[in-house]
Amino acid sequence: MENKPKLLIVGSFIMDLISTTGRLPNEGETTIGIDFSTAPGGKGANQAVQAALLGADVTMVGKVGKDIFGEMLIGSAGKAGIDIRHVIRDPNAPTGVGNIMLELKEGQKSKNRILLIPGANMALTTEDVEFLRDEIGNYDMVMLQLEIPMEVNEAVADMAYEKNVPIMLNSAPSAPLSGSLLKKLTYISPNEHEAADLTGIKVNTSKSGVDTEAIKTAAEVLLKKGVKNVIITLGSNGAALINAEKFIYQPCIDIVEVKDPTAAGDSFIGAFCTAICSDMVEEEAILFASYTATITVSRMGAQPSLPFRAEVLALMEAHKNNL
């Protein structure tokens, strides 16, 4: 990579506890599962690891508990080459966990349901990130999500905005956002459900396609509030990028068997931010991100599924006649 982007991620660490089953239980029902595993995750950490594996220079700020899950999460981030000096170990709060139930049915794409227990992530404070005020100007982009306290996201966004550092907010899980935060965002990236929560516009998707007019209408609500670029991820229907000048629709790269979609969105965002900060134009960045996420869904686990840059480029080369 000629231009090695310098990215700051302030966000979550979550240990994923993954139960695989052929059928999710109904209320009051017990079913026998197929498998159980653990994998390091958390939206912030996933995006940080993906960016690092794609060649970015990544710094992560967050909080974990003083427990085995915290050790494992910090170890995974460090192994990916992330600067983990600013990850705090909290003696009074457990490391966050995500209970993931993954339904696998023959001949169908896998489905998941996730129950998130934030733990130490919600113990991160504005005081913990105050040191960034003097350092944040050194980064090419700041990446935020909503698995840490909103006041921390607001504080970091204020710092970045003051230094003219671009801000990506992955607005997940869904939560209300203030007007003062929205107008500072260079990018916001909700999925179709989160976009509906933010705008009141239902974005319909189906196997037959997407409602592009609804996507444009939902994006326009956010653009009018000051967001510069809106990226709506649409699951198996791909993604769309909308700003004042253009509408880009990128279909899903449907060339693999989907095994676990858990980290698909994080993989996409980590790849997009790395690409756009490496001087790719928006069309190139969203395509690169889509191929990255395609590899991710073909593997099990959150961070264990995230690909290296060479893998993404190899897949793009193999299918270049379809580009």
Side-chain angles (χ1 to χ4, degrees):
M1 181 182 294
E2 294 182 6
N3 180 18
K4 192 178 178 70
K6 191 173 177 62
L7 304 179
L8 170 67
I9 291 87
V10 181
S12 57
F13 288 88
I14 300 286
M15 181 56 70
D16 291 339
L17 311 176
I18 308 162
S19 300
T20 305
T21 180
R23 182 176 67 83
L24 293 170
N26 296 315
E27 182 180 355
E29 180 185 21
T30 299
T31 58
I32 301 298
I34 299 170
D35 194 16
F36 174 78
S37 62
T38 62
K43 297 192 72 63
N46 291 345
Q47 292 171 26
V49 169
Q50 183 62 92
L53 295 180
L54 295 173
D57 181 357
V58 179
T59 297
M60 179 84 190
V61 176
K63 185 171 282 191
V64 298
K66 278 195 171 181
D67 49 38
I68 187 62
F69 286 163
E71 291 178 15
M72 293 169 68
L73 286 162
I74 291 175
S76 179
K79 185 178 179 181
I82 295 168
D83 183 345
I84 53 175
R85 291 176 297 167
H86 303 297
V87 179
I88 302 167
R89 303 290 300 273
D90 191 323
N92 300 312
T95 297
V97 297
N99 288 295
I100 299 172
M101 289 195 293
L102 189 63
E103 184 179 77
L104 301 179
K105 290 185 177 180
E106 189 173 351
Q108 298 183 24
K109 292 187 176 181
S110 61
K111 302 176 182 178
N112 65 354
R113 294 181 182 178
I114 303 173
L115 174 64
L116 179 68
I117 312 297
N121 291 295
M122 285 299 174
L124 190 67
T125 67
T126 55
E127 289 78 14
D128 292 331
V129 299
E130 181 60 30
F131 76 95
L132 289 171
R133 192 171 300 278
D134 297 325
E135 299 183 12
I136 206 162
N138 298 323
Y139 294 95
D140 296 312
M141 184 176 286
V142 173
M143 299 166 61
L144 304 169
Q145 316 79 34
L146 300 180
E147 291 179 340
I148 60 173
M150 190 65 75
E151 60 266 25
V152 175
N153 280 322
E154 295 262 9
V156 175
D158 286 346
M159 297 177 204
Y161 189 75
E162 288 174 4
K163 297 293 178 67
N164 296 313
V165 178
I167 305 164
M168 160 66 86
L169 173 64
N170 175 214
S171 52
S174 190
L177 301 176
S178 69
S180 63
L181 175 60
L182 287 168
K183 70 181 183 182
K184 296 181 177 73
L185 301 180
T186 315
Y187 297 93
I188 189 169
S189 181
N191 64 22
E192 68 269 38
H193 308 295
E194 294 148 2
D197 290 342
L198 284 171
T199 67
I201 308 297
K202 184 174 177 58
V203 178
N204 293 311
T205 60
S206 66
K207 292 181 180 179
S208 61
V210 299
D211 185 345
T212 56
E213 289 306 312
I215 293 171
K216 292 177 182 178
T217 302
E220 186 64 26
V221 172
L222 296 169
L223 293 173
K224 286 181 177 178
K225 293 183 178 181
V227 181
K228 304 299 185 297
N229 302 272
V230 179
I231 302 173
I232 300 178
T233 55
L234 304 163
S236 60
N237 285 287
L241 186 151
I242 310 95
N243 57 35
E245 287 78 38
K246 62 181 70 174
F247 174 88
I248 302 169
Y249 173 64
Q250 172 61 55
C252 179
I253 309 296
D254 193 9
I255 55 176
V256 299
E257 177 187 357
V258 177
K259 294 183 178 178
D260 183 0
T262 301
D266 296 331
S267 176
F268 178 93
I269 291 164
F272 178 85
C273 292
T274 301
I276 209 74
C277 291
S278 301
D279 298 327
M280 287 191 194
V281 298
E282 291 155 339
E283 290 85 353
E284 293 172 330
I286 199 169
L287 180 66
F288 178 77
S290 296
Y291 269 92
T292 304
T294 292
I295 297 175
T296 297
V297 301
S298 72
R299 302 168 175 173
M300 291 295 296
Q303 288 173 29
S305 70
L306 303 175
F308 287 89
R309 181 178 179 84
E311 295 177 283
V312 179
L313 295 179
L315 185 65
M316 295 181 73
E317 176 67 21
H319 293 270
K320 63 182 179 181
N321 291 333
N322 298 325
L323 299 182

